Amino acid sequence: MSAIVFPGIGPAQLADSARFMTAQPVARRLVAEADQALGYSLIDRYREAEARGDQGAFPEPARISFLVTCLALAEWAVAEHGLEPVACAGASFGGTAAVVRSGALPFADAVVMTAEWGRRADAYFAREHRDIVTQSFARVPLDRLAEIRGELDARGEWNAVACHVDRDFHMLSVREGVLEWLQKRLRAAGGLPLYSMRPPMHSDVFGALREEIESEVVADIAFSDPAIPVVSDHDGSLVETAAGVRTMLLDAVTRPVRWPLVVDTLKGLGVERVHVTGQDALWGRVAVMTDAFEVVAVRPETAMRPRRRSVIA
């Protein structure tokens, strides 16, 4: 059995997906639908953002282009390989693509929601929690992470886990003033600090942002019961109702991502092959995924490459 997984968004340039979005038939159709929903040309706006150097924490056209690419690749993979996925899941922002793919949210509504959600989040973090940064790191198992967090607690330093990506790969949010200490402590523990991110997400201290998005962004969106279950990236539960889908999306603001729980649930469903549809440098590559499944990476170049048709169950 198979499942479709959507990765979390990562740094990308228009050049990485421009040919796919303008030439691949499914992607081209979704771009046209996105243009209509937004009232502007997605690709033109992306090009303008890059020309201004407006990368930041993923400008609006980059977020929507990522959504388009993920969903187009999923649709292509299902048609190309005759897939009948038993569930889908998404990491962090990938959860929106999973909800659309499940049939619980129309694509046009997802585009408008993504745009407005991003605007609200950008404005919120421009005025609130400006000193919080999220540090990602590898080679630190849970017990060692608990020790480091205990030391931060003893110092009176606020900290919160934003993501459990793998058994020894995590993301931890801290105040900027303690970031250098954290990086040194991680190295002393044998860890490998990777990149730090702004704005942060996935913490209960951002409850005011969740409330704003709930009341002003998703209040009038009509979600449906998903046609196939969505696995929550917060606790691994199966989401099978419209209300559950809505809550799962909102919880992305305040609850950490726990990717190993997603893996456990997919294994429990009998999934053996996972198609990761989207530009992914992390979520489909970590050991917790590759040890559990045959992972098939479906990237823009995959769908553009001539190939003989095959059927994968």
Side-chain angles (χ1 to χ4, degrees):
M1 287 192 285
S2 66
I4 291 179
V5 164
F6 298 95
I9 191 170
Q13 295 181 332
L14 177 59
D16 297 333
S17 55
R19 180 170 175 265
F20 174 74
M21 290 196 295
T22 56
Q24 205 279 337
V26 178
R28 190 168 61 241
R29 187 194 80 231
L30 291 181
V31 168
E33 293 178 18
D35 288 351
Q36 184 173 9
L38 293 166
Y40 64 74
S41 167
L42 175 61
I43 292 176
D44 286 351
R45 189 67 63 87
Y46 200 164
R47 187 176 293 112
E48 292 166 3
E50 285 198 341
R52 291 193 306 268
D54 181 17
Q55 289 306 300
F58 312 113
E60 180 173 303
R63 290 189 285 252
I64 296 168
S65 294
F66 182 81
L67 179 68
V68 165
T69 299
C70 286
L71 289 168
L73 289 171
E75 185 172 334
W76 175 86
V78 167
E80 181 75 5
H81 298 303
L83 302 180
E84 295 182 3
V86 297
C88 59
S92 191
F93 180 65
T96 299
V99 167
V100 175
R101 182 65 213 175
S102 77
L105 179 63
F107 173 71
D109 289 348
V111 168
V112 174
M113 182 189 76
T114 297
E116 186 57 29
W117 188 312
R119 293 166 194 165
R120 300 278 179 170
D122 289 345
Y124 176 82
F125 285 111
R127 66 178 187 268
E128 305 286 347
H129 304 296
R130 298 178 65 181
D131 62 336
I132 295 181
V133 63
T134 299
Q135 176 70 50
S136 66
F137 48 93
R139 303 177 187 170
V140 178
L142 276 171
D143 57 348
R144 191 59 57 86
L145 174 60
E147 291 176 9
I148 294 170
R149 295 192 66 199
E151 293 173 21
L152 286 167
D153 292 342
R155 292 164 58 98
E157 295 287 354
W158 176 87
N159 64 94
V161 174
C163 298
H164 288 291
V165 183
D166 199 354
R167 303 177 189 96
D168 62 353
F169 193 127
H170 312 279
M171 300 182 189
L172 187 69
S173 295
V174 296
R175 304 289 181 188
E176 184 177 19
V178 79
L179 184 61
E180 184 176 355
W181 177 93
L182 175 62
Q183 292 170 342
K184 290 180 178 178
R185 183 65 182 85
L186 290 169
R187 293 188 184 98
L192 177 64
L194 297 170
Y195 46 88
S196 55
M197 297 171 288
R198 279 193 179 89
M201 287 293 281
H202 311 309
S203 171
D204 58 8
V205 300
F206 310 138
L209 175 60
R210 186 192 190 282
E211 292 175 4
E212 179 180 341
I213 291 172
E214 181 174 19
S215 63
E216 300 183 28
V217 178
V218 306
D220 296 327
I221 295 178
F223 294 97
S224 304
D225 293 344
I228 61 172
V230 180
V231 182
S232 168
D233 61 330
H234 312 305
D235 57 15
S237 62
L238 289 177
V239 182
E240 301 180 277
T241 67
V245 163
R246 181 179 182 275
T247 297
M248 184 192 75
L249 289 177
L250 288 168
D251 282 350
V253 179
T254 55
R255 297 183 66 186
V257 172
R258 301 184 183 278
W259 200 237
L261 298 182
V262 174
V263 172
D264 289 344
T265 298
L266 292 175
K267 287 167 61 179
L269 293 172
V271 171
E272 297 177 341
R273 180 181 294 111
V274 169
H275 289 74
V276 180
T277 57
Q279 293 167 309
D280 176 43
L282 177 62
W283 301 94
R285 299 185 178 190
V286 291
V288 71
M289 284 281 285
T290 57
D291 289 348
F293 310 115
E294 176 190 349
V295 178
V296 181
V298 185
R299 305 185 183 94
E301 57 269 27
T302 311
M304 297 294 290
R305 185 167 57 238
R307 58 183 295 173
R308 290 183 298 176
R309 189 176 184 84
S310 61
V311 176
I312 301 178

